[in-house]
Amino acid sequence: GANIDPAEYPLAMTPNDPGFHDLSGIKGGPRVNATFVTLARNSDVWEIAKSIRQVEDRFNRRYNYDWVFLNDQPFDDTFKKVTTSLCSGKTHYGLIGEEHWGFPDFIDQEKAKKVREDMKERKIIYGDSVSYRHMCRFESGFFFRQPLMMNYEYYWRVEPSVELFCDIHYDPFRFMHENGKKYSFVLSLYEYIETIPTLWDSVTKFMKNHPEHIAEDNSMGFLSDDGGKTYNKCHFWSNFEIGSLSWLRSKAYIDYFESLDRDGGFFYERWGDAPVHSIAAALMLPKDQIHFFNDIAYYHVPFTHCPTGEKLRTDLKCHCDPKNNFDWKGYSCTSRYFEVNGLEKPEGWQDQTD
Ligand code: GDP
Ligand code: MN
């Protein structure tokens, strides 16, 4: 295992790239300290089973990374049996403590309740849900410091009912590690403003109080069209994430989360963990530490990321319809990401704009 030299196994992205080695038979080849992580309820068992099966078939059966499952209720035997049988790596099951899943004492319960009633009337998605708010706050500020997660340096978030459409021939964790990447995405879009009306005010306050945490070469251009005055609502979709746990556990990120949390928007509005993570990454990481995985093909209702480039799709045995690729359509922010980073869009993007 550890005596295999990573240099002998360069990161080749497809079987046709020079230096490609199929790591299948090489148990214990170069590995990164990383885990899959899933937050789920017991009732999600069959939907997460589908997700795990695809992640294993397309990638992890050759790498056997661990999988951490987290829940605010104890996992039942069926959940543990089914998921353990499907995962090729070790599985771990964690119960989330009340201090990470509930109302902090500085929240005015009456005010929060009125907000939920009002959002219900206005038919805002999940607007009346208490558990959804706990979930978003947990994913924003606590998943990466659960005791089980403290053993790892990188995570890959997997939700129930997602799909992977292409083979993954290299180790994305290793890619992140070797290239100094801290955060990654496959889909980006605009947030519903009704769920985050004052999030940007809160972020602005944080930036003023903590200029030391703002990266010099940041991605403000991804978040704002007027140099930071207003938020354009662009965010990375956080139901897929491969990222650095050390970064989320850094003083910068914790200061950011605590500042936002104090302002109460997880309960007085319905702040999602997607804009919260995305804004953090865009402001506190240098541009080149955020990565777009064109070659990881992904679906979470209702959006698909199907890799741009016909050769790539056939090399990777993809089974997604390229017409469904969301990247270059009007409601995606991925074009903006490319522009901000001065990246050239992959060949064939023009055919997928509508
Ligand atoms: P959506 O993708 O925004 O529609 O939200 P989901 O319903 O998919 O929830 C996001 C993630 O949190 C999924 O992994 C869910 O399984 C998980 N989740 C949502 N609500 C709860 C909850 O109340 N308890 C637990 N344990 N997990 C939850
Ligand atoms: Mn989901």
Side-chain angles (χ1 to χ4, degrees), residues 11 32 154-155 170-185 241-244 289-293:
L11 273 165
V32 175
Y154 293 89
Y155 70 101
Y170 67 99
D171 180 349
F173 291 126
R174 223 185 114 195
F175 174 86
M176 300 286 291
H177 184 69
E178 289 181 9
N179 293 284
K181 306 287 184 189
K182 300 286 165 60
Y183 192 80
S184 69
F185 72 101
E241 281 178 335
I242 301 175
S244 159
Q289 293 184 2
I290 302 177
H291 182 66
F292 168 63
F293 278 109

Side-chain angles (χ1 to χ4, degrees), residues 300-317:
H300 176 297
V301 64
F303 299 119
T304 298
H305 166 67
C306 186
T308 307
E310 191 182 1
K311 183 175 179 311
L312 184 62
R313 290 193 302 271
T314 51
D315 278 354
L316 300 182
K317 303 189 192 304

